[in-house]
Amino acid sequence: MHPALDLRVWLPVALAAAMFVPRMTPVPPAVAADAAAGTTLPTIRGLPPATTEQHYELDAAASTVRFHATGPRGELLVACTGLRGELHLPAGGQGGTFELHLDLGSLQTLTADAGSFDLAHVLGVHRGSELSYRADLVATTSTDLPGVTQRTWLGLLRFGVRAVRQPMQLWQCSLPGQPLRLQGHGTVAGDDYGLPRRHLLGVYTEHAAVTLGLDLVWRRRRAK
């Protein structure tokens, strides 16, 4: 028999080839996709610079002030409800003054994981003390968001018997039909502010960091 006709030669080849023949599977009919519909969003516009002087007073009920402290004794989050402040913006949006007073006697603990951790302990002041900040506007930076600018203030931060010259960067949001807002937060180490150093177990020096978060809502000052 000719070798080409020998089943032992071509049958394994035929079987191997059959394994690599692609199987025909029915392709499901394509489903026409719904045409995408665009949605036109309203254009957000910020308020133009005021042409007259603007005087504001702090809306304490609508504002939020939080202290977040961390240290060897644990973590603490407190709210300050005793607020008052004033904001003055001259015509044309150039310059301005900002004043904020926080009554530390109004602090309310929100969360804490250590009962002995106290914000007055960290700041080295009595709970009846006041933290105050008076500053001038030194720089304004525009953003891509309409009505949102970054304001840099420089002034004197006082708490207890201490006074520190402190810059503060806050975001100002000015939208039609909405109150003017100043928002921001910042963290400082206690050592930088000369806060009292306390010792754990009489040996290890405690280091605490305090973050102050602000969401300040302003309303036009009423004429007297």
Side-chain angles (χ1 to χ4, degrees), residues 6 12 22 30 65-66 102 133 164-165 192 200 207:
D6 191 346
V65 174
R66 298 284 188 269
L102 307 179
Y133 184 62
V164 179
R165 191 164 178 80
D192 296 339
L200 188 63
H207 298 275

Side-chain angles (χ1 to χ4, degrees), residues 55 86-90 95-99 134-137 153 218:
H55 294 272
E86 295 183 358
L87 178 65
H88 169 234
L89 300 176
T97 57
F98 166 46
E99 187 172 327
R134 294 181 177 87
D136 296 319
L137 181 64
W153 305 86
W218 303 89

Side-chain angles (χ1 to χ4, degrees), residues 37 40 47 71 88 93 95 97 109 118-119 123 130 150 179 181 189 217:
T40 303
L47 294 173
H88 169 234
T97 57
T109 301
D118 183 84
L119 186 64
L123 294 178
E130 180 183 79
Q150 186 183 63
R181 304 180 86 101
V217 181

Side-chain angles (χ1 to χ4, degrees), residues 2-61:
H2 193 278
L5 300 178
D6 191 346
L7 290 177
R8 292 173 300 178
V9 175
W10 63 264
L11 184 57
V13 177
L15 293 175
M19 295 178 62
F20 289 97
V21 175
R23 298 182 179 181
M24 301 298 292
T25 56
V27 178
V31 179
D34 296 335
T39 301
T40 303
L41 297 177
T43 301
I44 301 177
R45 301 183 184 278
L47 294 173
T51 57
T52 59
E53 286 188 325
Q54 306 291 312
H55 294 272
Y56 296 89
E57 60 184 5
L58 185 67
D59 187 344

